[in-house]
Amino acid sequence: HLWIFAAALEFSAEIILSHTLKGQTLVPINVEHTKDRLGVLVLIMLGETVVSSTISYREYAARALNDISFRYYSVLALSFLLIFMFTLIYFNMQPPPSDHAMRRSRFIGVLIIILHKFLGLSLLTIGACTKLAVSAVTKHEELDSFTACLLGISVGFSLLIQFGMRICHYGGRIPRKSDPIHAKRLMYIWWTLFRVMSLIPF
């Protein structure tokens, strides 16, 4: 029960404080610094996947048989590709500090922080599942269905969270009214494809 209380407090602290503290009691936020810190948090979570899938099994990789080594390095390559994909999606959608979601409203600012917390949790889950996948390869075992499903759900959940972040940053702003009609269509197509592709891992 203590863990449940701690988790509830962690994910609701910003909501409680933003409604409790009013006016001059609120400290103005440094959006650019906060943006950088959140980016570092995401990089740390992604780095955990690299550490969990490489450092723990590098001795095994040196002495493994050729057929197992191929499977081992295939898992590593796919995990690195997954990390690279998340890195590109996250950092390429970041707006300049002047257009950051935290400048839109207090509610959206709190929402973007909460989404980062859920993203960190989801990325950690991906790292843990990747380590279990590597472990299964090294032990000549099949990956259990629960871990496989959890990995897919975590990937899909991470993509949906980043789609929510994109809406927080750009929703109602892009496309602009002054944009050409073909540019608007391309943006709508891209957003729709991203949303649909996020559901595939589920």
Side-chain angles (χ1 to χ4, degrees), residues 79-105:
S79 63
F80 291 161
L81 182 62
L82 187 64
I83 295 169
F84 183 66
M85 176 199 71
F86 278 122
T87 303
L88 285 181
I89 292 175
Y90 178 81
F91 287 99
N92 284 340
M93 76 173 177
Q94 296 301 311
S98 58
D99 295 329
H100 199 274
M102 290 185 177
R103 296 193 183 278
R104 303 191 70 174
S105 69

mmCIF file with all atom_site columns, all heavy atoms in Angstrom, residues 79-105:
data_model
loop_
_atom_site.group_PDB
_atom_site.id
_atom_site.type_symbol
_atom_site.label_atom_id
_atom_site.label_alt_id
_atom_site.label_comp_id
_atom_site.label_asym_id
_atom_site.label_entity_id
_atom_site.label_seq_id
_atom_site.pdbx_PDB_ins_code
_atom_site.Cartn_x
_atom_site.Cartn_y
_atom_site.Cartn_z
_atom_site.occupancy
_atom_site.B_iso_or_equiv
_atom_site.pdbx_formal_charge
_atom_site.auth_seq_id
_atom_site.auth_comp_id
_atom_site.auth_asym_id
_atom_site.auth_atom_id
_atom_site.pdbx_PDB_model_num
ATOM 1   N N   . SER A 1 79  ? 17.170 -3.689 -30.801 1.00 0.00 ? 79  SER A N   1
ATOM 2   C CA  . SER A 1 79  ? 16.987 -2.817 -29.636 1.00 0.00 ? 79  SER A CA  1
ATOM 3   C C   . SER A 1 79  ? 17.615 -1.449 -29.880 1.00 0.00 ? 79  SER A C   1
ATOM 4   O O   . SER A 1 79  ? 17.043 -0.417 -29.508 1.00 0.00 ? 79  SER A O   1
ATOM 5   C CB  . SER A 1 79  ? 17.581 -3.467 -28.388 1.00 0.00 ? 79  SER A CB  1
ATOM 6   O OG  . SER A 1 79  ? 18.981 -3.638 -28.517 1.00 0.00 ? 79  SER A OG  1
ATOM 7   N N   . PHE A 1 80  ? 18.781 -1.420 -30.529 1.00 0.00 ? 80  PHE A N   1
ATOM 8   C CA  . PHE A 1 80  ? 19.408 -0.137 -30.852 1.00 0.00 ? 80  PHE A CA  1
ATOM 9   C C   . PHE A 1 80  ? 18.558 0.649  -31.849 1.00 0.00 ? 80  PHE A C   1
ATOM 10  O O   . PHE A 1 80  ? 18.446 1.877  -31.758 1.00 0.00 ? 80  PHE A O   1
ATOM 11  C CB  . PHE A 1 80  ? 20.808 -0.354 -31.430 1.00 0.00 ? 80  PHE A CB  1
ATOM 12  C CG  . PHE A 1 80  ? 21.799 -0.866 -30.429 1.00 0.00 ? 80  PHE A CG  1
ATOM 13  C CD1 . PHE A 1 80  ? 22.968 -1.482 -30.844 1.00 0.00 ? 80  PHE A CD1 1
ATOM 14  C CD2 . PHE A 1 80  ? 21.566 -0.744 -29.068 1.00 0.00 ? 80  PHE A CD2 1
ATOM 15  C CE1 . PHE A 1 80  ? 23.887 -1.960 -29.919 1.00 0.00 ? 80  PHE A CE1 1
ATOM 16  C CE2 . PHE A 1 80  ? 22.468 -1.222 -28.137 1.00 0.00 ? 80  PHE A CE2 1
ATOM 17  C CZ  . PHE A 1 80  ? 23.632 -1.830 -28.562 1.00 0.00 ? 80  PHE A CZ  1
ATOM 18  N N   . LEU A 1 81  ? 17.970 -0.064 -32.806 1.00 0.00 ? 81  LEU A N   1
ATOM 19  C CA  . LEU A 1 81  ? 17.097 0.597  -33.777 1.00 0.00 ? 81  LEU A CA  1
ATOM 20  C C   . LEU A 1 81  ? 15.877 1.193  -33.086 1.00 0.00 ? 81  LEU A C   1
ATOM 21  O O   . LEU A 1 81  ? 15.439 2.306  -33.412 1.00 0.00 ? 81  LEU A O   1
ATOM 22  C CB  . LEU A 1 81  ? 16.662 -0.406 -34.844 1.00 0.00 ? 81  LEU A CB  1
ATOM 23  C CG  . LEU A 1 81  ? 15.778 0.130  -35.974 1.00 0.00 ? 81  LEU A CG  1
ATOM 24  C CD1 . LEU A 1 81  ? 16.524 1.193  -36.770 1.00 0.00 ? 81  LEU A CD1 1
ATOM 25  C CD2 . LEU A 1 81  ? 15.337 -1.002 -36.895 1.00 0.00 ? 81  LEU A CD2 1
ATOM 26  N N   . LEU A 1 82  ? 15.339 0.474  -32.108 1.00 0.00 ? 82  LEU A N   1
ATOM 27  C CA  . LEU A 1 82  ? 14.193 0.972  -31.347 1.00 0.00 ? 82  LEU A CA  1
ATOM 28  C C   . LEU A 1 82  ? 14.562 2.226  -30.561 1.00 0.00 ? 82  LEU A C   1
ATOM 29  O O   . LEU A 1 82  ? 13.813 3.211  -30.538 1.00 0.00 ? 82  LEU A O   1
ATOM 30  C CB  . LEU A 1 82  ? 13.696 -0.121 -30.405 1.00 0.00 ? 82  LEU A CB  1
ATOM 31  C CG  . LEU A 1 82  ? 12.393 0.140  -29.645 1.00 0.00 ? 82  LEU A CG  1
ATOM 32  C CD1 . LEU A 1 82  ? 11.227 0.252  -30.616 1.00 0.00 ? 82  LEU A CD1 1
ATOM 33  C CD2 . LEU A 1 82  ? 12.135 -0.972 -28.640 1.00 0.00 ? 82  LEU A CD2 1
ATOM 34  N N   . ILE A 1 83  ? 15.732 2.204  -29.936 1.00 0.00 ? 83  ILE A N   1
ATOM 35  C CA  . ILE A 1 83  ? 16.202 3.367  -29.183 1.00 0.00 ? 83  ILE A CA  1
ATOM 36  C C   . ILE A 1 83  ? 16.400 4.559  -30.105 1.00 0.00 ? 83  ILE A C   1
ATOM 37  O O   . ILE A 1 83  ? 16.009 5.693  -29.783 1.00 0.00 ? 83  ILE A O   1
ATOM 38  C CB  . ILE A 1 83  ? 17.514 3.023  -28.454 1.00 0.00 ? 83  ILE A CB  1
ATOM 39  C CG1 . ILE A 1 83  ? 17.265 1.955  -27.394 1.00 0.00 ? 83  ILE A CG1 1
ATOM 40  C CG2 . ILE A 1 83  ? 18.120 4.267  -27.811 1.00 0.00 ? 83  ILE A CG2 1
ATOM 41  C CD1 . ILE A 1 83  ? 18.531 1.369  -26.830 1.00 0.00 ? 83  ILE A CD1 1
ATOM 42  N N   . PHE A 1 84  ? 17.011 4.310  -31.258 1.00 0.00 ? 84  PHE A N   1
ATOM 43  C CA  . PHE A 1 84  ? 17.253 5.388  -32.217 1.00 0.00 ? 84  PHE A CA  1
ATOM 44  C C   . PHE A 1 84  ? 15.937 5.989  -32.699 1.00 0.00 ? 84  PHE A C   1
ATOM 45  O O   . PHE A 1 84  ? 15.816 7.209  -32.867 1.00 0.00 ? 84  PHE A O   1
ATOM 46  C CB  . PHE A 1 84  ? 18.061 4.844  -33.393 1.00 0.00 ? 84  PHE A CB  1
ATOM 47  C CG  . PHE A 1 84  ? 18.426 5.879  -34.418 1.00 0.00 ? 84  PHE A CG  1
ATOM 48  C CD1 . PHE A 1 84  ? 19.289 6.912  -34.098 1.00 0.00 ? 84  PHE A CD1 1
ATOM 49  C CD2 . PHE A 1 84  ? 17.907 5.818  -35.699 1.00 0.00 ? 84  PHE A CD2 1
ATOM 50  C CE1 . PHE A 1 84  ? 19.629 7.877  -35.038 1.00 0.00 ? 84  PHE A CE1 1
ATOM 51  C CE2 . PHE A 1 84  ? 18.240 6.772  -36.644 1.00 0.00 ? 84  PHE A CE2 1
ATOM 52  C CZ  . PHE A 1 84  ? 19.103 7.800  -36.313 1.00 0.00 ? 84  PHE A CZ  1
ATOM 53  N N   . MET A 1 85  ? 14.928 5.142  -32.904 1.00 0.00 ? 85  MET A N   1
ATOM 54  C CA  . MET A 1 85  ? 13.616 5.627  -33.341 1.00 0.00 ? 85  MET A CA  1
ATOM 55  C C   . MET A 1 85  ? 13.001 6.549  -32.294 1.00 0.00 ? 85  MET A C   1
ATOM 56  O O   . MET A 1 85  ? 12.523 7.646  -32.614 1.00 0.00 ? 85  MET A O   1
ATOM 57  C CB  . MET A 1 85  ? 12.686 4.445  -33.599 1.00 0.00 ? 85  MET A CB  1
ATOM 58  C CG  . MET A 1 85  ? 11.262 4.847  -33.973 1.00 0.00 ? 85  MET A CG  1
ATOM 59  S SD  . MET A 1 85  ? 10.063 3.516  -33.749 1.00 0.00 ? 85  MET A SD  1
ATOM 60  C CE  . MET A 1 85  ? 9.989  3.415  -31.952 1.00 0.00 ? 85  MET A CE  1
ATOM 61  N N   . PHE A 1 86  ? 13.028 6.120  -31.029 1.00 0.00 ? 86  PHE A N   1
ATOM 62  C CA  . PHE A 1 86  ? 12.460 6.953  -29.973 1.00 0.00 ? 86  PHE A CA  1
ATOM 63  C C   . PHE A 1 86  ? 13.225 8.268  -29.827 1.00 0.00 ? 86  PHE A C   1
ATOM 64  O O   . PHE A 1 86  ? 12.634 9.313  -29.564 1.00 0.00 ? 86  PHE A O   1
ATOM 65  C CB  . PHE A 1 86  ? 12.459 6.196  -28.644 1.00 0.00 ? 86  PHE A CB  1
ATOM 66  C CG  . PHE A 1 86  ? 11.313 5.252  -28.489 1.00 0.00 ? 86  PHE A CG  1
ATOM 67  C CD1 . PHE A 1 86  ? 11.527 3.903  -28.258 1.00 0.00 ? 86  PHE A CD1 1
ATOM 68  C CD2 . PHE A 1 86  ? 10.004 5.702  -28.571 1.00 0.00 ? 86  PHE A CD2 1
ATOM 69  C CE1 . PHE A 1 86  ? 10.469 3.024  -28.114 1.00 0.00 ? 86  PHE A CE1 1
ATOM 70  C CE2 . PHE A 1 86  ? 8.932  4.834  -28.431 1.00 0.00 ? 86  PHE A CE2 1
ATOM 71  C CZ  . PHE A 1 86  ? 9.166  3.491  -28.202 1.00 0.00 ? 86  PHE A CZ  1
ATOM 72  N N   . THR A 1 87  ? 14.537 8.203  -29.993 1.00 0.00 ? 87  THR A N   1
ATOM 73  C CA  . THR A 1 87  ? 15.347 9.423  -29.895 1.00 0.00 ? 87  THR A CA  1
ATOM 74  C C   . THR A 1 87  ? 14.970 10.414 -30.984 1.00 0.00 ? 87  THR A C   1
ATOM 75  O O   . THR A 1 87  ? 14.796 11.615 -30.721 1.00 0.00 ? 87  THR A O   1
ATOM 76  C CB  . THR A 1 87  ? 16.843 9.073  -29.994 1.00 0.00 ? 87  THR A CB  1
ATOM 77  O OG1 . THR A 1 87  ? 17.181 8.126  -28.975 1.00 0.00 ? 87  THR A OG1 1
ATOM 78  C CG2 . THR A 1 87  ? 17.697 10.312 -29.816 1.00 0.00 ? 87  THR A CG2 1
ATOM 79  N N   . LEU A 1 88  ? 14.832 9.926  -32.212 1.00 0.00 ? 88  LEU A N   1
ATOM 80  C CA  . LEU A 1 88  ? 14.462 10.806 -33.317 1.00 0.00 ? 88  LEU A CA  1
ATOM 81  C C   . LEU A 1 88  ? 13.074 11.407 -33.108 1.00 0.00 ? 88  LEU A C   1
ATOM 82  O O   . LEU A 1 88  ? 12.876 12.614 -33.291 1.00 0.00 ? 88  LEU A O   1
ATOM 83  C CB  . LEU A 1 88  ? 14.498 10.033 -34.638 1.00 0.00 ? 88  LEU A CB  1
ATOM 84  C CG  . LEU A 1 88  ? 15.870 9.720  -35.239 1.00 0.00 ? 88  LEU A CG  1
ATOM 85  C CD1 . LEU A 1 88  ? 15.697 8.980  -36.561 1.00 0.00 ? 88  LEU A CD1 1
ATOM 86  C CD2 . LEU A 1 88  ? 16.670 10.996 -35.456 1.00 0.00 ? 88  LEU A CD2 1
ATOM 87  N N   . ILE A 1 89  ? 12.121 10.572 -32.737 1.00 0.00 ? 89  ILE A N   1
ATOM 88  C CA  . ILE A 1 89  ? 10.749 11.056 -32.571 1.00 0.00 ? 89  ILE A CA  1
ATOM 89  C C   . ILE A 1 89  ? 10.677 12.109 -31.473 1.00 0.00 ? 89  ILE A C   1
ATOM 90  O O   . ILE A 1 89  ? 10.058 13.170 -31.643 1.00 0.00 ? 89  ILE A O   1
ATOM 91  C CB  . ILE A 1 89  ? 9.795  9.881  -32.254 1.00 0.00 ? 89  ILE A CB  1
ATOM 92  C CG1 . ILE A 1 89  ? 9.670  8.961  -33.462 1.00 0.00 ? 89  ILE A CG1 1
ATOM 93  C CG2 . ILE A 1 89  ? 8.416  10.407 -31.861 1.00 0.00 ? 89  ILE A CG2 1
ATOM 94  C CD1 . ILE A 1 89  ? 8.846  7.718  -33.197 1.00 0.00 ? 89  ILE A CD1 1
ATOM 95  N N   . TYR A 1 90  ? 11.320 11.829 -30.346 1.00 0.00 ? 90  TYR A N   1
ATOM 96  C CA  . TYR A 1 90  ? 11.208 12.747 -29.208 1.00 0.00 ? 90  TYR A CA  1
ATOM 97  C C   . TYR A 1 90  ? 11.883 14.085 -29.487 1.00 0.00 ? 90  TYR A C   1
ATOM 98  O O   . TYR A 1 90  ? 11.275 15.150 -29.313 1.00 0.00 ? 90  TYR A O   1
ATOM 99  C CB  . TYR A 1 90  ? 11.807 12.109 -27.956 1.00 0.00 ? 90  TYR A CB  1
ATOM 100 C CG  . TYR A 1 90  ? 11.769 13.028 -26.758 1.00 0.00 ? 90  TYR A CG  1
ATOM 101 C CD1 . TYR A 1 90  ? 10.604 13.158 -26.000 1.00 0.00 ? 90  TYR A CD1 1
ATOM 102 C CD2 . TYR A 1 90  ? 12.874 13.786 -26.397 1.00 0.00 ? 90  TYR A CD2 1
ATOM 103 C CE1 . TYR A 1 90  ? 10.556 14.013 -24.920 1.00 0.00 ? 90  TYR A CE1 1
ATOM 104 C CE2 . TYR A 1 90  ? 12.830 14.643 -25.313 1.00 0.00 ? 90  TYR A CE2 1
ATOM 105 C CZ  . TYR A 1 90  ? 11.672 14.753 -24.579 1.00 0.00 ? 90  TYR A CZ  1
ATOM 106 O OH  . TYR A 1 90  ? 11.623 15.610 -23.509 1.00 0.00 ? 90  TYR A OH  1
ATOM 107 N N   . PHE A 1 91  ? 13.132 14.050 -29.925 1.00 0.00 ? 91  PHE A N   1
ATOM 108 C CA  . PHE A 1 91  ? 13.884 15.300 -30.049 1.00 0.00 ? 91  PHE A CA  1
ATOM 109 C C   . PHE A 1 91  ? 13.520 16.087 -31.305 1.00 0.00 ? 91  PHE A C   1
ATOM 110 O O   . PHE A 1 91  ? 13.690 17.308 -31.332 1.00 0.00 ? 91  PHE A O   1
ATOM 111 C CB  . PHE A 1 91  ? 15.386 15.015 -30.003 1.00 0.00 ? 91  PHE A CB  1
ATOM 112 C CG  . PHE A 1 91  ? 15.872 14.656 -28.629 1.00 0.00 ? 91  PHE A CG  1
ATOM 113 C CD1 . PHE A 1 91  ? 16.065 13.335 -28.270 1.00 0.00 ? 91  PHE A CD1 1
ATOM 114 C CD2 . PHE A 1 91  ? 16.096 15.638 -27.676 1.00 0.00 ? 91  PHE A CD2 1
ATOM 115 C CE1 . PHE A 1 91  ? 16.492 12.995 -26.992 1.00 0.00 ? 91  PHE A CE1 1
ATOM 116 C CE2 . PHE A 1 91  ? 16.517 15.314 -26.394 1.00 0.00 ? 91  PHE A CE2 1
ATOM 117 C CZ  . PHE A 1 91  ? 16.719 13.990 -26.048 1.00 0.00 ? 91  PHE A CZ  1
ATOM 118 N N   . ASN A 1 92  ? 13.018 15.417 -32.333 1.00 0.00 ? 92  ASN A N   1
ATOM 119 C CA  . ASN A 1 92  ? 12.607 16.155 -33.528 1.00 0.00 ? 92  ASN A CA  1
ATOM 120 C C   . ASN A 1 92  ? 11.273 16.864 -33.353 1.00 0.00 ? 92  ASN A C   1
ATOM 121 O O   . ASN A 1 92  ? 10.935 17.742 -34.142 1.00 0.00 ? 92  ASN A O   1
ATOM 122 C CB  . ASN A 1 92  ? 12.529 15.216 -34.734 1.00 0.00 ? 92  ASN A CB  1
ATOM 123 C CG  . ASN A 1 92  ? 13.901 14.869 -35.282 1.00 0.00 ? 92  ASN A CG  1
ATOM 124 O OD1 . ASN A 1 92  ? 14.872 15.569 -35.027 1.00 0.00 ? 92  ASN A OD1 1
ATOM 125 N ND2 . ASN A 1 92  ? 13.996 13.783 -36.022 1.00 0.00 ? 92  ASN A ND2 1
ATOM 126 N N   . MET A 1 93  ? 10.500 16.474 -32.345 1.00 0.00 ? 93  MET A N   1
ATOM 127 C CA  . MET A 1 93  ? 9.214  17.148 -32.148 1.00 0.00 ? 93  MET A CA  1
ATOM 128 C C   . MET A 1 93  ? 9.311  18.290 -31.138 1.00 0.00 ? 93  MET A C   1
ATOM 129 O O   . MET A 1 93  ? 8.319  18.963 -30.872 1.00 0.00 ? 93  MET A O   1
ATOM 130 C CB  . MET A 1 93  ? 8.154  16.148 -31.674 1.00 0.00 ? 93  MET A CB  1
ATOM 131 C CG  . MET A 1 93  ? 8.258  15.748 -30.229 1.00 0.00 ? 93  MET A CG  1
ATOM 132 S SD  . MET A 1 93  ? 6.850  14.743 -29.718 1.00 0.00 ? 93  MET A SD  1
ATOM 133 C CE  . MET A 1 93  ? 7.316  14.375 -28.027 1.00 0.00 ? 93  MET A CE  1
ATOM 134 N N   . GLN A 1 94  ? 10.502 18.515 -30.568 1.00 0.00 ? 94  GLN A N   1
ATOM 135 C CA  . GLN A 1 94  ? 10.642 19.566 -29.567 1.00 0.00 ? 94  GLN A CA  1
ATOM 136 C C   . GLN A 1 94  ? 10.596 20.947 -30.221 1.00 0.00 ? 94  GLN A C   1
ATOM 137 O O   . GLN A 1 94  ? 11.371 21.226 -31.134 1.00 0.00 ? 94  GLN A O   1
ATOM 138 C CB  . GLN A 1 94  ? 11.954 19.398 -28.801 1.00 0.00 ? 94  GLN A CB  1
ATOM 139 C CG  . GLN A 1 94  ? 12.036 18.126 -27.985 1.00 0.00 ? 94  GLN A CG  1
ATOM 140 C CD  . GLN A 1 94  ? 10.931 18.033 -26.952 1.00 0.00 ? 94  GLN A CD  1
ATOM 141 O OE1 . GLN A 1 94  ? 10.681 18.971 -26.204 1.00 0.00 ? 94  GLN A OE1 1
ATOM 142 N NE2 . GLN A 1 94  ? 10.269 16.890 -26.914 1.00 0.00 ? 94  GLN A NE2 1
ATOM 143 N N   . PRO A 1 95  ? 9.701  21.816 -29.765 1.00 0.00 ? 95  PRO A N   1
ATOM 144 C CA  . PRO A 1 95  ? 9.622  23.167 -30.327 1.00 0.00 ? 95  PRO A CA  1
ATOM 145 C C   . PRO A 1 95  ? 10.655 24.076 -29.673 1.00 0.00 ? 95  PRO A C   1
ATOM 146 O O   . PRO A 1 95  ? 11.264 23.704 -28.657 1.00 0.00 ? 95  PRO A O   1
ATOM 147 C CB  . PRO A 1 95  ? 8.204  23.599 -29.957 1.00 0.00 ? 95  PRO A CB  1
ATOM 148 C CG  . PRO A 1 95  ? 7.957  22.908 -28.648 1.00 0.00 ? 95  PRO A CG  1
ATOM 149 C CD  . PRO A 1 95  ? 8.683  21.589 -28.732 1.00 0.00 ? 95  PRO A CD  1
ATOM 150 N N   . PRO A 1 96  ? 10.877 25.263 -30.219 1.00 0.00 ? 96  PRO A N   1
ATOM 151 C CA  . PRO A 1 96  ? 11.744 26.227 -29.530 1.00 0.00 ? 96  PRO A CA  1
ATOM 152 C C   . PRO A 1 96  ? 11.116 26.643 -28.202 1.00 0.00 ? 96  PRO A C   1
ATOM 153 O O   . PRO A 1 96  ? 9.894  26.524 -28.022 1.00 0.00 ? 96  PRO A O   1
ATOM 154 C CB  . PRO A 1 96  ? 11.822 27.402 -30.515 1.00 0.00 ? 96  PRO A CB  1
ATOM 155 C CG  . PRO A 1 96  ? 10.628 27.246 -31.393 1.00 0.00 ? 96  PRO A CG  1
ATOM 156 C CD  . PRO A 1 96  ? 10.367 25.776 -31.493 1.00 0.00 ? 96  PRO A CD  1
ATOM 157 N N   . PRO A 1 97  ? 11.927 27.110 -27.253 1.00 0.00 ? 97  PRO A N   1
ATOM 158 C CA  . PRO A 1 97  ? 11.381 27.478 -25.931 1.00 0.00 ? 97  PRO A CA  1
ATOM 159 C C   . PRO A 1 97  ? 10.221 28.465 -25.997 1.00 0.00 ? 97  PRO A C   1
ATOM 160 O O   . PRO A 1 97  ? 9.312  28.413 -25.165 1.00 0.00 ? 97  PRO A O   1
ATOM 161 C CB  . PRO A 1 97  ? 12.592 28.081 -25.212 1.00 0.00 ? 97  PRO A CB  1
ATOM 162 C CG  . PRO A 1 97  ? 13.774 27.436 -25.861 1.00 0.00 ? 97  PRO A CG  1
ATOM 163 C CD  . PRO A 1 97  ? 13.393 27.251 -27.304 1.00 0.00 ? 97  PRO A CD  1
ATOM 164 N N   . SER A 1 98  ? 10.231 29.344 -26.988 1.00 0.00 ? 98  SER A N   1
ATOM 165 C CA  . SER A 1 98  ? 9.163  30.345 -27.078 1.00 0.00 ? 98  SER A CA  1
ATOM 166 C C   . SER A 1 98  ? 7.815  29.728 -27.436 1.00 0.00 ? 98  SER A C   1
ATOM 167 O O   . SER A 1 98  ? 6.763  30.311 -27.150 1.00 0.00 ? 98  SER A O   1
ATOM 168 C CB  . SER A 1 98  ? 9.531  31.404 -28.120 1.00 0.00 ? 98  SER A CB  1
ATOM 169 O OG  . SER A 1 98  ? 9.755  30.795 -29.389 1.00 0.00 ? 98  SER A OG  1
ATOM 170 N N   . ASP A 1 99  ? 7.826  28.542 -28.056 1.00 0.00 ? 99  ASP A N   1
ATOM 171 C CA  . ASP A 1 99  ? 6.585  27.882 -28.460 1.00 0.00 ? 99  ASP A CA  1
ATOM 172 C C   . ASP A 1 99  ? 6.316  26.609 -27.657 1.00 0.00 ? 99  ASP A C   1
ATOM 173 O O   . ASP A 1 99  ? 5.483  25.795 -28.050 1.00 0.00 ? 99  ASP A O   1
ATOM 174 C CB  . ASP A 1 99  ? 6.641  27.525 -29.951 1.00 0.00 ? 99  ASP A CB  1
ATOM 175 C CG  . ASP A 1 99  ? 6.708  28.759 -30.834 1.00 0.00 ? 99  ASP A CG  1
ATOM 176 O OD1 . ASP A 1 99  ? 6.148  29.795 -30.434 1.00 0.00 ? 99  ASP A OD1 1
ATOM 177 O OD2 . ASP A 1 99  ? 7.331  28.685 -31.911 1.00 0.00 ? 99  ASP A OD2 1
ATOM 178 N N   . HIS A 1 100 ? 7.033  26.434 -26.554 1.00 0.00 ? 100 HIS A N   1
ATOM 179 C CA  . HIS A 1 100 ? 6.897  25.211 -25.771 1.00 0.00 ? 100 HIS A CA  1
ATOM 180 C C   . HIS A 1 100 ? 5.507  25.113 -25.148 1.00 0.00 ? 100 HIS A C   1
ATOM 181 O O   . HIS A 1 100 ? 4.850  26.131 -24.877 1.00 0.00 ? 100 HIS A O   1
ATOM 182 C CB  . HIS A 1 100 ? 7.958  25.178 -24.667 1.00 0.00 ? 100 HIS A CB  1
ATOM 183 C CG  . HIS A 1 100 ? 8.197  23.816 -24.103 1.00 0.00 ? 100 HIS A CG  1
ATOM 184 N ND1 . HIS A 1 100 ? 7.444  23.299 -23.070 1.00 0.00 ? 100 HIS A ND1 1
ATOM 185 C CD2 . HIS A 1 100 ? 9.097  22.850 -24.435 1.00 0.00 ? 100 HIS A CD2 1
ATOM 186 C CE1 . HIS A 1 100 ? 7.880  22.089 -22.778 1.00 0.00 ? 100 HIS A CE1 1
ATOM 187 N NE2 . HIS A 1 100 ? 8.878  21.785 -23.590 1.00 0.00 ? 100 HIS A NE2 1
ATOM 188 N N   . ALA A 1 101 ? 5.066  23.876 -24.921 1.00 0.00 ? 101 ALA A N   1
ATOM 189 C CA  . ALA A 1 101 ? 3.732  23.648 -24.351 1.00 0.00 ? 101 ALA A CA  1
ATOM 190 C C   . ALA A 1 101 ? 3.570  24.293 -22.984 1.00 0.00 ? 101 ALA A C   1
ATOM 191 O O   . ALA A 1 101 ? 2.457  24.674 -22.598 1.00 0.00 ? 101 ALA A O   1
ATOM 192 C CB  . ALA A 1 101 ? 3.466  22.147 -24.258 1.00 0.00 ? 101 ALA A CB  1
ATOM 193 N N   . MET A 1 102 ? 4.664  24.444 -22.244 1.00 0.00 ? 102 MET A N   1
ATOM 194 C CA  . MET A 1 102 ? 4.577  25.038 -20.915 1.00 0.00 ? 102 MET A CA  1
ATOM 195 C C   . MET A 1 102 ? 4.191  26.512 -20.956 1.00 0.00 ? 102 MET A C   1
ATOM 196 O O   . MET A 1 102 ? 3.811  27.080 -19.934 1.00 0.00 ? 102 MET A O   1
ATOM 197 C CB  . MET A 1 102 ? 5.910  24.877 -20.179 1.00 0.00 ? 102 MET A CB  1
ATOM 198 C CG  . MET A 1 102 ? 6.207  23.452 -19.776 1.00 0.00 ? 102 MET A CG  1
ATOM 199 S SD  . MET A 1 102 ? 7.697  23.327 -18.781 1.00 0.00 ? 102 MET A SD  1
ATOM 200 C CE  . MET A 1 102 ? 7.679  21.564 -18.425 1.00 0.00 ? 102 MET A CE  1
ATOM 201 N N   . ARG A 1 103 ? 4.305  27.132 -22.107 1.00 0.00 ? 103 ARG A N   1
ATOM 202 C CA  . ARG A 1 103 ? 3.911  28.536 -22.240 1.00 0.00 ? 103 ARG A CA  1
ATOM 203 C C   . ARG A 1 103 ? 2.447  28.693 -22.638 1.00 0.00 ? 103 ARG A C   1
ATOM 204 O O   . ARG A 1 103 ? 1.946  29.819 -22.707 1.00 0.00 ? 103 ARG A O   1
ATOM 205 C CB  . ARG A 1 103 ? 4.799  29.231 -23.270 1.00 0.00 ? 103 ARG A CB  1
ATOM 206 C CG  . ARG A 1 103 ? 6.267  29.310 -22.861 1.00 0.00 ? 103 ARG A CG  1
ATOM 207 C CD  . ARG A 1 103 ? 7.035  30.262 -23.752 1.00 0.00 ? 103 ARG A CD  1
ATOM 208 N NE  . ARG A 1 103 ? 8.441  30.293 -23.430 1.00 0.00 ? 103 ARG A NE  1
ATOM 209 C CZ  . ARG A 1 103 ? 8.983  31.017 -22.452 1.00 0.00 ? 103 ARG A CZ  1
ATOM 210 N NH1 . ARG A 1 103 ? 8.205  31.779 -21.699 1.00 0.00 ? 103 ARG A NH1 1
ATOM 211 N NH2 . ARG A 1 103 ? 10.283 30.985 -22.237 1.00 0.00 ? 103 ARG A NH2 1
ATOM 212 N N   . ARG A 1 104 ? 1.772  27.600 -22.893 1.00 0.00 ? 104 ARG A N   1
ATOM 213 C CA  . ARG A 1 104 ? 0.392  27.691 -23.364 1.00 0.00 ? 104 ARG A CA  1
ATOM 214 C C   . ARG A 1 104 ? -0.580 27.926 -22.212 1.00 0.00 ? 104 ARG A C   1
ATOM 215 O O   . ARG A 1 104 ? -1.440 28.796 -22.277 1.00 0.00 ? 104 ARG A O   1
ATOM 216 C CB  . ARG A 1 104 ? 0.012  26.430 -24.139 1.00 0.00 ? 104 ARG A CB  1
ATOM 217 C CG  . ARG A 1 104 ? 0.926  26.141 -25.315 1.00 0.00 ? 104 ARG A CG  1
ATOM 218 C CD  . ARG A 1 104 ? 0.375  25.060 -26.209 1.00 0.00 ? 104 ARG A CD  1
ATOM 219 N NE  . ARG A 1 104 ? -0.796 25.518 -26.943 1.00 0.00 ? 104 ARG A NE  1
ATOM 220 C CZ  . ARG A 1 104 ? -1.413 24.810 -27.883 1.00 0.00 ? 104 ARG A CZ  1
ATOM 221 N NH1 . ARG A 1 104 ? -0.966 23.606 -28.191 1.00 0.00 ? 104 ARG A NH1 1
ATOM 222 N NH2 . ARG A 1 104 ? -2.465 25.280 -28.501 1.00 0.00 ? 104 ARG A NH2 1
ATOM 223 N N   . SER A 1 105 ? -0.461 27.106 -21.181 1.00 0.00 ? 105 SER A N   1
ATOM 224 C CA  . SER A 1 105 ? -1.326 27.260 -20.006 1.00 0.00 ? 105 SER A CA  1
ATOM 225 C C   . SER A 1 105 ? -0.761 26.424 -18.872 1.00 0.00 ? 105 SER A C   1
ATOM 226 O O   . SER A 1 105 ? 0.102  25.564 -19.079 1.00 0.00 ? 105 SER A O   1
ATOM 227 C CB  . SER A 1 105 ? -2.762 26.812 -20.316 1.00 0.00 ? 105 SER A CB  1
ATOM 228 O OG  . SER A 1 105 ? -2.824 25.409 -20.499 1.00 0.00 ? 105 SER A OG  1
#
